[in-house]
Amino acid sequence: MAVVSALAKYKLVFLGDQSVGKTSIITRFMYDKFDTTYQATIGIDFLSKTMYLEDRTVRLQLWDTAGQERFRSLIPSYIRDSSVAVIVYDVANRQSFLNTSKWIEEVHTERGSDVIIVLVGNKTDLVDKRQVSIEEGEAKAREVGVMFIETSAKAGFNIKPLFRKIAAALPGMETLSSTKQEDMVDVNLKPTVNTSQTEQQSGGCSC
Ligand SMILES: Nc1nc2c(ncn2[C@@H]2O[C@H](COP(=O)(O)OP(=O)(O)O)[C@@H](O)[C@H]2O)c(=O)[nH]1
Ligand SMILES: [Mg+2]
């Protein structure tokens, strides 16, 4: 039996105001660590991670973005290239929540409806400073028709579920199930050798 290595790749772009926790969410997911020293993201960097799901393997390319005005002109082209937009706000910062409307609009301008959008309320560990309730987050997501989850990159809360939710929503399964049986070949989507789940790359590589 031929083993066909069919690795579906998807680009995810992280959007949202500065310091809502985009880089921290990515860092928590990639390395399971949280860095308290604030490092403004310079320009846009990406990291790749292969996720081994029950029924398939997907490679996610995570594009971090900087919210600073001077880099904003770069962002539309990254949105255009991405099948998933992760729009993050800080639950302790109402303005960052209000600004997600602009980010959602921008994604629709670039991609129309051909995109998966997840609204993420981060920093749930800041219990006493919370300014946006989970109900408000859910209501907004429902209103604009996007997925929703609350996370804490600091506490490591809901980070894996966020990415599992995204992976589950990715196209691919429908394509597979709509393929005629006689056209199907045995494809081994389970990794045979799996020493590391993480591959790190920085910008410049088109892999
Ligand atoms: N309390 C708390 N602080 C966080 C959380 N995520 C990020 N931060 C902090 O918020 C600041 C900005 O985070 P960063 O990931 O750089 O935000 P970005 O500008 O959106 O990439 C940093 O000081 C982080 O340590 C979180 O879940 N809880
Ligand atoms: Mg950042």
Side-chain angles (χ1 to χ4, degrees), residues 8 10 16 25 66 74 83 88 94 100 115 134-135 160 163 174 178 181:
Y10 301 93
I25 289 172
L74 294 172
S83 41
V88 185
R94 175 159 290 277
T100 58
V115 64
I134 187 166
E135 290 79 16
K160 273 188 193 152
F163 287 91
E174 306 77 24
S178 67
Q181 284 297 324

Side-chain angles (χ1 to χ4, degrees), residues 12-13 30 42 44 71 77-78 116 137 177 181 188 195 198:
L12 282 67
V13 65
M30 293 293 293
I42 308 296
I44 298 191
F71 296 118
S77 64
Y78 290 92
I116 293 166
S177 56
Q181 284 297 324
N188 185 0
T195 45
T198 307

Side-chain angles (χ1 to χ4, degrees), residues 9-12 79 81-85 111 114-116 170:
K9 295 177 196 172
Y10 301 93
K11 286 188 185 177
L12 282 67
I79 297 176
D81 256 13
S82 302
S83 41
V84 181
R111 301 270 318 179
D114 177 30
V115 64
I116 293 166
L170 290 170

Side-chain angles (χ1 to χ4, degrees), residues 150-194:
E150 280 195 343
T151 59
S152 167
K154 184 173 183 179
F157 169 68
N158 259 355
I159 300 296
K160 273 188 193 152
L162 160 66
F163 287 91
R164 265 189 246 118
K165 209 177 165 83
I166 291 170
L170 290 170
M173 295 309 282
E174 306 77 24
T175 322
L176 199 63
S177 56
S178 67
T179 310
K180 281 190 288 168
Q181 284 297 324
E182 60 265 34
D183 292 342
M184 287 173 66
V185 291
D186 287 322
V187 178
N188 185 0
L189 292 177
K190 290 252 160 61
T192 44
V193 184
N194 174 18

Side-chain angles (χ1 to χ4, degrees), residues 39-86:
Q39 278 189 308
T41 311
I42 308 296
I44 298 191
D45 276 312
F46 77 82
L47 293 163
S48 285
K49 179 147 173 150
T50 304
M51 278 185 87
Y52 300 104
L53 307 171
E54 261 174 38
D55 54 350
R56 61 196 167 132
T57 301
V58 293
R59 174 115 168 229
L60 305 181
Q61 209 175 67
L62 314 179
W63 290 84
D64 197 2
T65 62
Q68 297 101 316
E69 275 312 314
R70 65 200 160 115
F71 296 118
R72 287 224 33 161
S73 59
L74 294 172
I75 293 176
S77 64
Y78 290 92
I79 297 176
R80 229 170 287 144
D81 256 13
S82 302
S83 41
V84 181
V86 183

